[in-house]
Amino acid sequence: MELLENRIKNDGEVLPGNILKVSSFLNHQVDTKLLDQMAQEFKRLYSDVPVTKILTIESSGIAVAYPVAREFGVPLVFAKKHQSSNVNEDVYSTTVYSFTHGQNYNVVVSKKFIQPDDKILIVDDFLANGKALEGLISLIEQAEAKVQGICIAIEKNFQDGGKNIRNKGYRVESLAIVKKMTDDGGIEFVH
């Protein structure tokens, strides 16, 4: 998606450790018009499959997933990174390693929000190593629901997550695929 790629080039920052900082428009301050356009593109890409729910992981995935859920006219469910006192019922649970934070999180979704007949699109802001996606897929599999596809705003193609998830047979649609980031701040995209 050229619009997103241009925004990344103009406003993204390349930080040491292969970190792409897009906090000025995607995951700290949010450009709602851009996210609406991204949601429309995801709707176009997945217009061929039935969808009953959108699933993401807190917290930065929520901003990307909300307009996608609105486009599809279905509920948005987000996995919580900690089981809090207000999530005291039965839950599906898995452990996810966060590349950004360098730690493991216990991720939970209430069993009443994912049912075996659900057809789910997973939505997230980044795909790098794929650990968050593996965790979300695990939650869906525990519920015996179906993964219809995966919507990613920005994929880092030079890391193995996208390749690994695709090799497991999942359909992944990424709006911007970063081929390479350089120390001087350069960003190249896969086309």
Side-chain angles (χ1 to χ4, degrees):
M1 180 177 192
E2 188 176 347
L3 180 67
L4 179 57
E5 290 178 2
N6 288 337
R7 194 65 185 270
I8 294 167
K9 283 182 185 177
N10 294 331
D11 297 331
E13 295 177 63
V14 177
L15 303 178
N18 285 325
I19 303 291
L20 176 57
K21 186 175 178 182
V22 291
S23 59
S24 68
F25 62 93
L26 190 62
N27 56 21
H28 192 71
Q29 174 175 274
V30 177
D31 182 333
T32 58
K33 289 181 181 177
L34 174 63
L35 267 68
D36 284 345
Q37 291 171 307
M38 292 166 54
Q40 291 166 8
E41 181 63 5
F42 285 132
K43 173 69 171 163
R44 185 188 71 77
L45 290 168
Y46 282 101
S47 64
D48 61 326
V49 297
V51 175
T52 62
K53 299 246 172 86
I54 302 297
L55 179 65
T56 192
I57 192 165
E58 70 175 357
S59 64
S60 49
I62 297 170
V64 178
Y66 173 79
V68 177
R70 192 178 60 226
E71 277 294 317
F72 279 89
V74 299
L76 165 62
V77 177
F78 63 91
K80 293 182 173 251
K81 288 186 180 170
H82 303 283
Q83 186 169 352
S84 59
S85 60
N86 65 350
V87 181
N88 54 10
E89 63 269 358
D90 285 341
V91 295
Y92 300 112
S93 177
T94 191
T95 302
V96 171
Y97 178 76
S98 170
F99 174 78
T100 307
H101 296 104
Q103 67 182 33
N104 286 317
Y105 289 98
N106 185 39
V107 177
V108 300
V109 169
S110 172
K111 288 184 177 180
K112 67 182 175 183
F113 298 136
I114 301 179
Q115 301 296 314
D117 61 344
D118 277 320
K119 296 169 177 56
I120 300 175
L121 274 184
I122 297 173
V123 178
D124 208 357
D125 58 343
F126 273 95
L127 171 52
N129 294 316
K131 298 306 177 191
L133 288 181
E134 289 173 2
L136 292 173
I137 290 167
S138 171
L139 295 173
I140 294 167
E141 288 175 345
Q142 289 173 49
E144 298 179 355
K146 181 169 177 24
V147 176
Q148 294 291 79
I150 299 168
C151 304
I152 300 296
I154 303 168
E155 178 179 343
K156 295 178 180 176
N157 185 255
F158 54 88
Q159 291 177 286
D160 289 334
K163 179 180 75 174
N164 292 340
I165 297 293
R166 287 178 180 96
N167 284 343
K168 292 178 181 180
Y170 295 101
R171 177 178 169 191
V172 180
E173 299 286 353
S174 301
L175 298 184
I177 302 176
V178 178
K179 179 180 179 180
K180 179 180 175 184
M181 298 189 307
T182 59
D183 292 338
D184 64 356
I187 302 170
E188 293 178 29
F189 295 97
V190 173
H191 289 113

